[in-house]
Amino acid sequence: EHPVRTLVLMVMVVLFGVSYSIAGNIRAKVLGKYSGIITTVLNSITYVAVYFPVLWVRRRRGLVSAEQTAWTYSWRSPYAGCGESLWSRAGGWKYMFLGGLCDCVSQVLLFTSQAYVSLVAQVILHQMNVIYTAVWSITLLGSRYILLEVAGMSLSALGGAVTIISEPAGSSSPLHLAIFALSAAPPSLVLKELMFRRWAADARRGACGVGHTAPLDIWCVSSAAALFQLVWVIPVVALAAGREKEESETVTGFLLGAWDCLRDAPGSGCTGAWQSYAIYICFDILANVFIYMLMREGSALLAFVTLKVNVPLTAVLGLIRWPVVGAARLNAAEVCSLLMVCAGAALFFSGTLKRESLAGRVGASAAFPPSSRPEGSAGAAWAARPPK
């Protein structure tokens, strides 16, 4: 309906998405070994400070119903029936109690390894999140996939494996490459989709027989995820600090060192730490806001295609000499891996569209894993979104 507005949003997603990737790499290099601790803690605080005011404004404007916020944050779901288990009676927050933990673990793994992985390798390994999402969708959502989607996942996995195996010596640490690849493994995205589905089921049933058909607002989910990420950040960060610290150093000493680094204290070895984080988090939030606006204005498919533009563009712009990180080097193996994971992601998503268009007309034997149950919708739409 508004092609110019949609085009502007697509440009903003690409602009801030690429800026987020490059700024994040600079921030990781500046913070060094403290990157995982500092970034995870500050992100947890920032997300709560941003998402809850947005939810409050949308609630005041009538864009989010009282039923949705009550279902999200009530200890007991307003739609809970008698005789249900404790888990079934709990509100929607239960999914983000686990989702917040997954987000926290994912960010610690990502930001701890990021400084030791080349920008090109980061771009390639990020595309493997479609594999993790698919596996968790099968496990938690009962989703099933056609051969085209399985081929796409296999191609992405092969591209990621080529990156880890063929990365030049000294360019990236093999251990940190593996940690970076595993950072997308926690099922936070699928738990979010599970929360959307549960709301849809509960809302259709309704209280006193009165159903609600509006889909759960994304800011209910985002705010709940941010809240529980903040709850989990202290124990997760303490464990991460215990792993990252020197053998002769205490956890408290490591955390104090991270604080000194953030404030550029003399002798900390950090310069421009809080400035690099401030730039990074601004791009992070703006990128996610514009992705949400594009999905609302256009579609999940349009957002997916737009995000795929970021992949080669980030790799190309990474070849420019940037402050702190310098210029990335792109070898033949990385070009091959980049093409493989992009093709695999595109193949997977096109297979998802084909399967959904054939829903109800394809037999159970056409999908993987085989099942006699009715096929559920895939969680692939979440795979289009960038990790936090």
Side-chain angles (χ1 to χ4, degrees), residues 356-382:
E356 290 182 347
S357 69
L358 296 175
R361 293 188 287 135
V362 179
S365 61
F368 175 85
S371 172
S372 59
R373 297 178 301 171
E375 180 182 356
S377 64
W382 282 105

Side-chain angles (χ1 to χ4, degrees), residues 81-328:
C82 297
E84 292 184 338
S85 66
L86 181 62
W87 175 262
S88 298
R89 292 198 305 269
W93 59 267
K94 63 191 175 188
Y95 298 107
M96 290 305 95
F97 178 79
L98 299 177
L101 173 61
C102 291
D103 282 338
C104 202
V105 171
S106 179
Q107 287 194 24
V108 167
L109 293 175
L110 173 68
F111 299 134
T112 297
S113 59
Q114 189 176 21
Y116 309 100
V117 177
S118 69
L119 179 60
V120 175
Q122 292 176 35
V123 171
I124 295 171
L125 294 176
H126 265 318
Q127 307 314 305
M128 294 181 66
N129 63 355
V130 69
I131 302 171
Y132 299 120
T133 301
V135 171
W136 284 115
S137 293
I138 292 172
T139 305
L140 299 180
L141 303 177
S143 300
R144 298 165 62 216
Y145 299 94
I146 62 175
L147 183 60
L148 194 60
E149 292 171 302
V150 175
M153 286 186 279
S154 301
L155 191 58
S156 293
L158 183 59
V162 169
T163 300
I164 295 174
I165 295 171
S166 64
E167 192 71 4
S171 176
S172 300
S173 160
L175 174 61
H176 287 102
L177 278 169
I179 294 174
F180 192 94
L182 289 172
S183 65
S188 54
L189 296 180
V190 175
L191 286 168
K192 291 178 175 70
E193 181 162 352
L194 194 58
M195 184 173 175
F196 278 109
R197 289 192 183 192
R198 182 64 189 205
W199 159 258
D202 285 356
R204 280 195 300 268
R205 181 175 60 185
C208 303
V210 180
H212 305 276
T213 57
L216 183 63
D217 191 84
I218 194 171
W219 294 102
C220 288
V221 179
S222 297
S223 61
L227 174 63
F228 286 108
Q229 181 178 330
L230 186 61
V231 169
W232 282 108
V233 75
I234 294 177
V236 171
V237 161
L239 289 174
R243 179 192 174 279
E244 289 295 309
K245 71 179 182 66
E246 300 291 339
E247 188 174 345
S248 60
E249 193 176 17
T250 64
V251 171
T252 303
F254 184 86
L255 294 176
L256 290 175
W259 169 247
D260 287 340
C261 176
L262 179 63
R263 64 190 184 91
D264 292 342
S268 66
C270 298
T271 304
W274 68 266
Q275 296 93 331
S276 64
Y277 176 81
I279 294 171
Y280 150 80
I281 195 62
C282 287
F283 285 136
D284 179 20
I285 292 173
L286 286 170
N288 282 288
V289 167
F290 279 113
I291 289 169
Y292 166 66
M293 293 175 65
L294 180 61
M295 293 184 71
R296 185 181 62 183
E297 187 75 23
S299 64
L301 174 60
L302 188 61
F304 180 88
V305 173
T306 304
L307 286 168
K308 291 302 106 179
V309 175
N310 289 1
V311 177
L313 189 57
T314 301
V316 171
L317 291 178
L319 301 177
I320 299 174
R321 183 168 296 279
W322 294 95
V324 181
V325 296

Side-chain angles (χ1 to χ4, degrees), residues 63-73 79 199 214-217 220:
L63 299 174
V64 180
S65 67
E67 289 81 10
Q68 290 193 4
T69 52
W71 180 86
T72 300
Y73 288 104
Y79 307 135
W199 159 258
L216 183 63
D217 191 84
C220 288

Side-chain angles (χ1 to χ4, degrees), residues 23-32 35 39 111 114 276-277 280:
N25 205 45
I26 294 173
R27 182 257 315 139
K29 293 292 186 182
V30 170
L31 297 179
S35 178
T39 309
F111 299 134
Q114 189 176 21
S276 64
Y277 176 81
Y280 150 80

